[in-house]
Amino acid sequence: MSDQTRFNLSENDIPKFWYNINADNPVPPTAVLHPGTKEPVTPDFLSVLFPMEVILQEISTEAYIEIPEPVREIYKLWRPTPLIRARNLEKALGTPAHIYFKNEGNSPSGSHKLNTAAAQAFYNKQAGTKALTTETGAGQWGTALSMAGQFFDLAIEVYMVKVSYEQKPYRRFLMETYGGQVYASPSDRTQVGREALKKDPNNPGSLGLAISEAVEVAATSNGKKKYSLGSVLNHVLLHQSVLGEEALKQMDLAEEYPDVVIGCVGGGSNFSGLAYPFLRENLRNGQRTRLLAAEPFATPSLTRGLYAFDYGDTAQMAPIVKMHTLGHDFIPPAIHAGGLRYHGMAPSLSALVDSGHIEAVAVRQIPVFEAAVLFARTEGILPAPESAHAIRVAIDEALKAKETGEKKVILFNLSGHGHFDLSAYNAYNTGSLIDYEISEEDITAISQHLPQVPETVS
Ligand SMILES: *Cc1c(COP(=O)(O)O)cnc(C)c1O
């Protein structure tokens, strides 16, 4: 066992292929349905929103898809990201467990999202797209896509969930500095937005609603604009697999292998990016790593949502997919982990939770910030509140190991840094952070908010 703290790879170790879980997935993929007809979608419908190369990745069952050289060139700006053993945190906890984390907060945009933003911008450029529309919650995705838009010369139009737009003005300034155009959602630029504002002028917005706005703008642009999503879809999870592929090599350098892999989940991309290559090792090579998804108590789609067909967005314009959902019109409480405020979850991840290959746990906002502050004070890095959900669960696993005396090896993903989340830290430091939960009525009402789909697909 190594006495090293940082496990760095060289540029040559940047993966040359993305790994696609759908090649090994023990649970068959579920149908993707047209939001209007509720019949399986055709590539024609998807091609209004996405370039063909991305659609092919969305439905691919190839295990390995080559990373185009121009995307690898962009990855070289920050990849491979470091794997770090959190020795100070281990000491502070007095645990025999070894805690490792992959630091995606090292990317120039501040999170893992640039891994897919660069890829999606490249494929759009290649297909002749001039502009991309998208939504953003905390601003991480909008930042990554605004930057990737510059790399590949695309205009970027961002619909930012209004509560985040107000809580995080600096994120907007950053997106604008990278050349993105940012609008608070609901906005008056779309029919969906205008209707939402008419019903409630103080609508705080949600990712589901912002997606509807971005999709509407792309779908009504006569092919001028395409749409880009930062999570949930298969191709996004595919692009994030660089995380797990690098981490496998880095755990090798550390001469250890994780007993448990942890990540926070909003739509499921950073967790899957780290976990799916380890799931492949479980499925193909007899490893037995536990894979543990950490979600907020206030948006508990995996632990309390229904596994059912539902719309990907609020206004019923995005495809219907089978996933763990709180209902497409659910508006999550205004927790500070904006990137985790989504009603649904990636279909492949939902299926794997349903089949028991992946576990999920929900954690509360105040213990999450306790963990974030302990991490900042021991490891020096200020985590994004989203990432702090993974830290909380990693700490809980390390504390359990302390009780049992087990030398457990824990690996978690630090999906981003928290430099734009200081008002959240201030709320925590001054005791005004709210520990939101959702009501039992919200949970029992979910089934009434789901679309009826033909029996042949359900
Ligand atoms: C967007 C975001 C998340 C949540 O999205 P996933 O697709 O579930 O990864 C988590 N952490 C950070 C820092 C984010 O920006």
Side-chain angles (χ1 to χ4, degrees):
M1 195 176 52
S2 166
D3 59 1
Q4 248 170 277
T5 294
R6 292 168 65 89
F7 299 90
N8 292 324
L9 299 171
S10 77
E11 228 168 74
N12 289 333
D13 294 310
I14 297 173
K16 299 197 166 56
F17 294 88
W18 288 304
Y19 169 63
N20 179 11
I21 190 66
N22 290 326
D24 292 305
N25 204 334
V27 284
T30 49
V32 176
L33 308 177
H34 188 285
T37 65
K38 303 196 174 74
E39 295 293 328
V41 288
T42 56
D44 265 2
F45 169 76
L46 293 175
S47 68
V48 173
L49 300 180
F50 304 108
M52 195 45 71
E53 207 59 37
V54 162
I55 296 172
L56 293 175
Q57 291 182 352
E58 189 59 28
I59 58 178
S60 172
T61 52
E62 291 287 312
Y64 295 98
I65 293 177
E66 193 167 2
I67 304 176
E69 207 41 47
V71 176
R72 286 189 85 244
E73 288 300 318
I74 300 290
Y75 281 176
K76 285 179 187 170
L77 296 177
W78 76 99
R79 305 212 70 82
T81 58
L83 181 87
I84 297 167
R85 179 152 165 216
R87 292 181 185 272
N88 293 338
L89 177 62
E90 289 170 15
K91 242 177 258 156
L93 297 171
T95 177
H98 292 179
I99 306 175
Y100 293 85
F101 64 95
K102 183 86 172 138
N103 186 5
E104 290 295 308
N106 245 23
S107 94
S109 76
S111 79
H112 66 287
K113 294 219 168 69
L114 200 52
N115 298 325
T116 185
Q120 293 190 49
F122 167 76
Y123 288 119
N124 272 289
K125 182 67 186 174
Q126 199 185 37
T129 308
K130 297 280 181 266
L132 289 174
T133 68
T134 196
E135 70 291 328
T136 197
Q140 292 273 20
W141 170 239
T143 304
L145 198 66
S146 295
M147 189 181 292
Q150 287 299 321
F151 293 154
F152 292 104
D153 193 24
L154 298 164
I156 305 295
E157 193 172 311
V158 183
Y159 291 84
M160 185 174 191
V161 177
K162 198 198 281 164
V163 54
S164 298
Y165 186 96
E166 285 161 2
Q167 278 176 356
K168 300 186 177 189
Y170 292 104
R171 267 282 167 205
R172 169 161 69 85
F173 304 156
L174 185 63
M175 286 185 268
E176 289 168 347
T177 304
Y178 284 124
Q181 271 195 306
V182 188
Y183 305 99
S185 168
S187 78
D188 59 8
R189 295 174 53 84
T190 65
Q191 199 178 335
V192 180
R194 287 188 292 272
E195 271 164 28
L197 287 171
K198 200 156 73 185
K199 270 192 216 135
D200 177 9
N202 297 318
N203 188 320
S206 68
L207 271 179
L209 191 54
I211 293 173
S212 301
E213 290 207 273
V215 166
E216 181 184 320
V217 172
T220 56
S221 72
N222 288 321
K224 288 200 202 77
K225 299 174 183 177
K226 296 246 184 264
Y227 166 72
S228 179
L229 188 64
S231 186
V232 179
L233 296 176
N234 291 331
H235 65 270
V236 181
L237 275 48
L238 172 80
H239 301 154
Q240 294 297 350
S241 64
V242 289
L243 261 99
E245 296 292 18
E246 287 178 7
L248 275 162
K249 283 192 188 171
Q250 289 163 309
M251 292 304 305
D252 246 11
L253 292 180
E255 296 170 38
E256 298 214 78
Y257 198 84
D259 297 302
V260 55
V261 167
I262 298 163
C264 67
V265 287
S269 74
N270 87 85
F271 170 75
S272 304
L274 183 63
Y276 283 176
F278 286 94
L279 177 58
R280 173 190 65 212
E281 300 307 309
N282 283 359
L283 295 168
R284 288 193 195 176
N285 298 324
Q287 295 288 1
R288 302 184 60 171
T289 301
R290 283 175 64 212
L291 307 169
L292 191 47
E295 68 180 5
F297 205 76
T299 318
S301 52
L302 285 176
T303 52
R304 295 178 76 195
L306 290 182
Y307 183 45
F309 280 92
D310 197 9
Y311 299 97
D313 70 329
T314 303
Q316 313 183 357
M317 296 170 64
I320 298 171
V321 294
K322 192 165 185 188
M323 60 180 173
H324 281 86
T325 180
L326 297 163
H328 59 274
D329 49 2
F330 174 76
I331 296 190
I335 55 167
H336 283 281
L340 308 185
R341 295 178 72 244
Y342 182 60
H343 68 272
M345 191 54 67
S348 69
L349 178 55
S350 295
L352 286 161
V353 168
D354 190 59
S355 67
H357 290 86
I358 288 173
E359 298 166 51
V361 59
V363 283
R364 286 174 172 276
Q365 193 163 234
I366 287 174
V368 161
F369 274 85
E370 274 166 21
V373 168
L374 177 60
F375 185 78
R377 290 179 183 180
T378 50
E379 296 299 321
I381 300 171
L382 187 81
E386 291 85 354
S387 318
H389 289 68
I391 299 173
R392 176 73 260 166
V393 174
I395 289 176
D396 289 344
E397 288 291 316
L399 291 175
K400 273 185 233 160
K402 181 179 180 176
E403 261 172 45
T404 60
E406 198 188 340
K407 280 208 172 115
K408 199 186 311 187
V409 178
I410 298 168
L411 167 63
F412 74 86
N413 189 36
L414 189 73
S415 53
H417 69 63
H419 296 173
F420 292 94
D421 301 282
L422 290 168
S423 59
Y425 280 93
N426 183 52
Y428 172 74
N429 291 339
T430 56
S432 59
L433 196 71
I434 301 168
D435 215 355
Y436 291 106
E437 46 187 286
I438 66 174
S439 69
E440 205 51 55
E441 291 82 71
D442 276 339
I443 298 292
T444 47
I446 296 170
S447 63
Q448 293 152 33
H449 294 253
L450 301 178
Q452 295 286 327
V453 299
E455 266 177 38
T456 45
V457 295
S458 52

